[in-house]
Amino acid sequence: MASTAPEKEDPTAPAPVLGPGQTYTTVTQKISSIITSRTPLGWIIGVALALGLMQCFALGVTWLLIKGVGVWGLNVPVGWGWAIINFVWWIGIGHAGTLISAILLLMRQNWRNSINRFAEAMTIFAVICAMQFPLLHTGRPWIAAYWLLPYPNSMGVWPQFRSPLIWDVFAVSTYFTVSLIFWYIGLIPDFATLRDKAKQKVSRVIYGILSMGWRGSAKHWHNYEMTSLLLAGISTPLVLSVHSIVSFDFSVGLVPGWHATIFPPYFVAGAVFAGFAMVLTLALPLRAVYGLHDFITDRHLNNMSKVMLATGLIVAYGYGMEQFYAWYSASTYEGYMMQNRTWGPYSFEYWMLILCNVAVPQLLWIKWVRLNPIMLFIVSMFINVGMWLERFIIVVTSLHRDYMPSSWDMYRSTPWDWLLYIGTIGIFLLGMLLFIRVMPVINIVEIRLLVPRKGHDKKPDHDASADASAD
Amino acid sequence: MATESFDHPFLNKIRTLGLLFGALFLVLTVIGAISNPQQFYQSYIIGYVYWLCISLGCLSLLMLHHLISGRWGFVIRRLLESGARTLPLMVILFIPIIFGMHNLYEWTHADVVANDPILKFKSPYLNETGFISRAVFYFVLWIGMTWLLTKWSRTQDETGEPGLKSKMINLSGPGIPVLILSVTFASTDWVMSLEPHWFSTIFGFIFVVGQALAAMAMCIIWVVNLSDADAFSEIEASKYLSDLGTLMFAFTVLWSYVSFSQFLIIWSANLAEEAPWYIKRGQGGWDIMAVALILFHFALPFFLLLQRAIKRRAALLLAIAVLMLVMRYVDLYWYIAPSFSHGGPVGFHPHFLDLTIPLSIGGFWLAYFAMQLKGAALVPLHDPRMAETFAGEGH
Amino acid sequence: MAENSIYGLMAEYDNPDDLLHAAQGAYAAGYRNMDAFSPLPIHDLSESLGYEKHRVPFWVLFGGMVGACTGFGLQYWVSVIDYPLNIAGRPFLSWPMFIPVTFEMGILFAAFGAFLSMLILNGLPQPYHPVFNVDAFESASSDGFFLCIEAEDPKFELSETRNFLEGLHATKVVEVES
């Protein structure tokens, strides 16, 4: 504690991660009040909107199940259209959540504490949305189980483990389960807080059941902390593996434009890139509506922007490598694919993608942009669009020019594609809104760790573990 | 304030031994080179790329440290700077490769290119002028960035000017993408084009990860051996060994991940233009080396470094770091040496030059490194971020 | 007997440091059957109460190993023994292509290991516990810090223990009904 002085002299010192004057009592009060207070009108409007969007999903699914996947814009040679694009897009959004909750925990980046819970919830709902697409793409999901999951069935048939699509089933369901476990473990002590704060008997009972009798005893914390750390440790390679496996869906095949060894790391970076853009898209309005400026501070905006910039550069590196090695390979197919992607019928989408994912994110080099919520929101929206376009380009431009010109075709989406896509946005929004209303949107325990200890004049923006151990 | 310098018996020992062994192995190398020039160039490129990767790994970790400024970074900053400052030595050592281009690279032979449509197609990139001018360009970039970063860091020691911190951060931000791109193309030029028909888009990335791993292992070796130096005891450097071990673990896992990804994608597609690269490396003795890579470049360090108790024991961590440095050489050997079969069956024919060359370059590299390390204090003196990072330290 | 009808004595503290000092003091005085309660994890607190060993890591590693073996074994059995199919001429034992599922299964079981071992070691879910009988204990999940010495402890003696706890800067000491 010898040195609080140099920070004050240094104008470039990082902004605090927790606003001044917060104590254990105030942080608990502030965060749980989001739940215990009256339902704000904005929330009701939001839920109405989300339910409206979900009707699109219901409509889209109903018609799909009646008519079959032909109602989508799919046809030979483009057999994978919006379904896989949206699947990859949603999974990618989920990844930022795990990055924030696991990787940044391992790196002792305590600024993540206040956005962690929110990001984890985002992961779970995004994965739920993602799972809809491949399941529906099977056409008749209720009988797809026997070739998706290995269970002894009356036909004596087993899944084909040399297909990356089966790897996806394992990866995504593991990812969903582990995220849920991680999320729930983080929630247990907060449920205990809500149990003790609840005014009505019903909520006390429900939160009581959810908290499983958590007492906050030293023994509880002893095992709890170790479990969180280990779950973070296993989530980190998990998140890397999930999007790598998604990228294997494309890259282990032969299709030019899909078969590239750079795909795994480039997909992972793209996922984090898209995910952080989505975190900001959601967190910036949330912060304004609920007045959470003390918890989602300028430092968060700055750091999240830097992560977006870094992952965006890796994605740009991926585009560059694809271009260079398509030429360097001296392969006719690779060369034609890239020429068609860049200057062919989908070149508008390709250059829009370059604009959204490569050009616009360079604004994040400027500190003013990183700290300006409105600018940041705009940049994030560009990235959301750009990352969707990236998957579109990868899926469609690689397929629509088959090896034989007689098989060439153009891919057009149909209204049913749109309905499903918009519908999943409804599912996601509804999930997030319900989460905000019934669960602590910020991890209260981890925020308590940021509160300066009494008797220590330590600044709260130090590393949480150093804080807890300073004695 | 005068420029600080640093002295330690280990440094002097390494300098003397490095020069001695460097010279000794140089003599053996010269004997080998005279009797078998072709073998000399083949072994030389492996040994050269190995040590260059360590220098470049130091530069990339240095820039990473400036950007994220973890505690571990301040402990090893001077080591990273000294490692990056060996790059001028690597420029001189690059000269034999220019002389050996015809022995190493098929695409330098006009008659081969004329009869090979693929090489003809690639000739706008794979040609001697391009090769040399790109090499000059990479070295100018790397040495330029190193020179600025180390100059600012040393000036900061003397003057404590707070603005230098931002300068180093501002250079490192764009510096990392520039470094990754240049390493990608350098690895394409120098290693991938040894088999000029083959290509892999993740190749540069594998080199970026591999060099960071090698540099981290090198730093751990130095931190353990210098742990009784005053500057290190003052900041209790040995406490950060487990952090460094964790980073080495992370790079080991990352290396396994990128290497396996490349293998899986090429193996499963089984394309005629890609698969032969792995087929060569999976037979005739190379397969044993591949298994050794899985066991000792991944499995063993993975399970050892998973345990916190091991990362905290300096002697064990040192042993793992040495293992990683050895395995980095094995990995590069497995990547490069089978390239020289030129169509024929590839046997596993190690030559004594495969040992004397890396040891000779290594001796000079370490001696040069030790001299660089002497030039400044072992730990940065006036970085404003240090005070805040090491403040309230109970960790 | 008053001592049989109570679970223990609970002292309330103002801040984490007082609780930590009290726990250390009580442990030094020879008390063993006690527990500390706080709304946030406090470094060194569990160690000062004598919980040193971490058992969770073993179960995570165990789960991971079991999962990975199950995953690989399942794929081997399905693809080589029970239902061998020629897929694009690849060998039945396409081990590189079995790694992803092996890995995912390892992770899944490791996570189960972490979750279940945490719950079991902590004795959760536990619907009833005597400490909840204390009214003020509500704040243990927001801003209160408590140390409870159980009546089972061989050194426990109602008035003496009460005096002892009060001597350790407790703001309040109450009896916990069992």
Side-chain angles (χ1 to χ4, degrees), chain C residues 129-146:
Chain C
H129 195 277
V131 291
F132 289 111
N133 293 333
V134 177
D135 285 339
F137 190 72
E138 225 181 62
S139 68
S141 64
S142 55
D143 51 9
F145 298 86
F146 299 88

Side-chain angles (χ1 to χ4, degrees), chain B residues 47-305:
Chain B
Y48 177 78
V49 168
Y50 176 74
W51 285 101
L52 179 71
C53 277
I54 299 179
S55 306
L56 288 175
C58 287
L59 179 56
S60 47
L61 289 181
L62 177 64
M63 295 204 273
L64 190 69
H65 150 66
H66 282 307
L67 284 184
I68 63 178
S69 101
R71 298 188 188 114
W72 58 272
F74 292 102
V75 177
I76 59 173
R77 188 206 276 186
R78 282 289 131 83
L79 299 170
L80 296 172
E81 285 172 357
S82 309
R85 282 170 74 103
T86 56
L87 279 166
L89 174 73
M90 300 318 284
V91 174
I92 299 167
L93 293 174
F94 189 70
I95 294 168
I97 293 178
I98 294 177
F99 283 112
M101 272 173 83
H102 280 277
N103 299 69
L104 292 172
Y105 300 102
E106 215 183 332
W107 47 264
T108 55
H109 298 269
D111 53 325
V112 176
V113 174
N115 295 316
D116 187 330
I118 290 182
L119 293 189
K120 211 189 263 174
F121 181 88
K122 292 186 182 190
S123 60
Y125 184 80
L126 291 184
N127 58 66
E128 289 170 56
T129 330
F131 183 88
I132 294 170
S133 42
R134 280 196 303 275
V136 171
F137 179 65
Y138 305 143
F139 278 116
V140 168
L141 271 182
W142 297 336
I143 293 178
M145 292 194 291
T146 306
W147 184 72
L148 285 173
L149 285 176
T150 55
K151 189 187 77 162
W152 289 333
S153 178
R154 287 178 186 200
T155 316
Q156 192 185 44
D157 269 9
E158 286 166 32
T159 63
E161 187 193 327
L164 287 170
K165 177 190 101 176
S166 321
K167 273 189 178 175
M168 291 189 277
I169 296 174
N170 291 342
L171 177 68
S172 301
I176 286 191
V178 166
L179 185 73
I180 291 180
L181 271 178
S182 53
V183 168
T184 302
F185 285 104
S187 63
T188 308
D189 287 1
W190 301 342
V191 182
M192 198 199 286
S193 81
L194 288 167
E195 283 175 83
H197 283 205
W198 186 76
F199 60 92
S200 165
T201 37
I202 203 176
F203 199 73
F205 213 76
I206 295 180
F207 268 79
V208 170
V209 175
Q211 70 193 25
L213 172 59
M216 189 48 80
M218 182 59 88
C219 286
I220 288 177
I221 292 175
W222 282 88
V223 173
V224 172
N225 280 299
L226 295 176
S227 55
D228 58 340
D230 291 342
F232 269 174
S233 359
E234 232 167 76
I235 57 164
E236 296 177 284
S238 46
K239 271 191 180 173
Y240 302 102
L241 269 178
S242 76
D243 283 0
L244 299 178
T246 305
L247 280 165
M248 186 164 75
F249 174 76
F251 287 126
T252 308
V253 173
L254 212 54
W255 172 87
S256 317
Y257 162 70
V258 285
S259 303
F260 175 72
S261 297
Q262 174 175 282
F263 171 65
L264 176 64
I265 290 170
I266 290 178
W267 185 88
S268 55
N270 205 21
L271 279 172
E273 58 260 43
E274 296 175 339
W277 197 85
Y278 276 109
I279 294 172
K280 259 189 209 174
R281 286 161 179 78
Q283 60 189 22
W286 299 108
D287 45 353
I288 297 168
M289 216 171 205
V291 173
L293 280 173
I294 296 173
L295 290 180
F296 301 112
H297 202 315
F298 165 66
L300 183 68
F302 177 84
F303 284 105
L304 289 177
L305 291 173

Side-chain angles (χ1 to χ4, degrees), chain A residues 1-4 6-7 10-14 106-109 162 167 226 229 237 240-241 243-244 247-248 251-254 258-266 268 306 313-314 317-318 320-322 324-331 333-334 365 458 461-463 465-467 469-471, chain B residues 67-68 71 117-118 121-126 162 165-166 170 173-175 177 180-181 184-185 187-188 192-193 195-205 208 243 253-254 257-258 260-266 268-271 273-274 308 384-385 387-395:
Chain A
M1 261 131 283
S3 57
T4 41
E7 279 174 69
D10 185 359
T12 55
L106 293 181
M107 293 169 77
R108 301 195 207 112
Q109 299 285 317
R162 278 161 285 181
W167 309 346
M226 181 46 80
L229 203 64
L240 231 73
S241 77
H243 228 67
S244 301
S247 85
F248 290 148
S251 56
V252 299
L254 298 166
W258 286 5
H259 178 70
T261 48
I262 189 74
F263 261 38
Y266 147 67
V268 172
K306 285 178 181 169
L313 286 169
I314 301 179
Y317 171 86
M321 289 305 106
E322 280 186 313
F324 175 71
Y325 286 102
W327 175 82
Y328 180 88
S329 71
S331 149
Y333 307 109
E334 291 283 337
W365 287 102
K458 226 164 115 50
D461 59 339
H462 282 305
D463 169 316
S465 63
D467 213 320
S469 60
D471 195 14
Chain B
L67 284 184
I68 63 178
R71 298 188 188 114
I118 290 182
F121 181 88
K122 292 186 182 190
S123 60
Y125 184 80
L126 291 184
K165 177 190 101 176
S166 321
N170 291 342
I180 291 180
L181 271 178
T184 302
F185 285 104
S187 63
T188 308
M192 198 199 286
S193 81
E195 283 175 83
H197 283 205
W198 186 76
F199 60 92
S200 165
T201 37
I202 203 176
F203 199 73
F205 213 76
V208 170
D243 283 0
V253 173
L254 212 54
Y257 162 70
V258 285
F260 175 72
S261 297
Q262 174 175 282
F263 171 65
L264 176 64
I265 290 170
I266 290 178
S268 55
N270 205 21
L271 279 172
E273 58 260 43
E274 296 175 339
R308 209 183 275 200
R385 289 174 293 175
E388 87 195 41
T389 343
F390 286 91
E393 199 32 61
H395 175 66

Side-chain angles (χ1 to χ4, degrees), chain C:
Chain C
M1 290 280 284
E3 278 176 38
N4 287 342
S5 66
I6 68 163
Y7 171 77
L9 272 177
M10 184 179 276
E12 186 175 353
Y13 296 91
D14 218 22
N15 60 62
D17 298 300
D18 283 355
L19 175 62
L20 183 61
H21 293 146
Q24 285 162 345
Y27 194 84
Y31 289 104
R32 290 296 177 270
N33 291 16
M34 58 181 168
D35 211 342
F37 305 89
S38 57
L40 74 167
I42 298 170
H43 200 76
D44 291 338
L45 182 60
S46 57
E47 283 80 359
S48 66
L49 291 173
Y51 312 121
E52 298 233 319
K53 276 193 76 163
H54 282 289
R55 298 232 179 96
V56 180
F58 168 77
W59 291 106
V60 172
L61 189 67
F62 180 77
M65 290 296 183
V66 168
C69 293
T70 311
F72 196 86
L74 171 79
Q75 295 178 88
Y76 182 83
W77 187 75
V78 164
S79 315
V80 181
I81 298 169
D82 194 52
Y83 195 57
L85 276 179
N86 184 337
I87 304 291
R90 296 192 182 98
F92 292 135
L93 177 61
S94 297
W95 68 267
M97 303 192 97
F98 294 168
I99 301 281
V101 171
T102 306
F103 176 82
E104 296 301 330
M105 291 286 281
I107 293 286
L108 183 65
F109 279 57
F112 286 150
F115 182 58
L116 294 177
S117 66
M118 192 277 267
L119 289 186
I120 292 168
L121 291 169
N122 280 348
L124 297 175
Q126 189 171 11
Y128 172 79
H129 195 277
V131 291
F132 289 111
N133 293 333
V134 177
D135 285 339
F137 190 72
E138 225 181 62
S139 68
S141 64
S142 55
D143 51 9
F145 298 86
F146 299 88
L147 181 70
C148 180
I149 297 183
E150 291 157 25
E152 276 179 15
D153 192 280
K155 260 198 106 222
F156 187 86
E157 205 283 314
L158 193 55
S159 58
E160 198 180 297
T161 307
R162 176 184 282 273
N163 290 337
F164 175 77
L165 283 170
E166 275 165 354
L168 288 168
H169 305 291
T171 51
K172 212 163 107 192
V173 178
V174 291
E175 290 173 18
V176 185
E177 294 165 30
S178 63

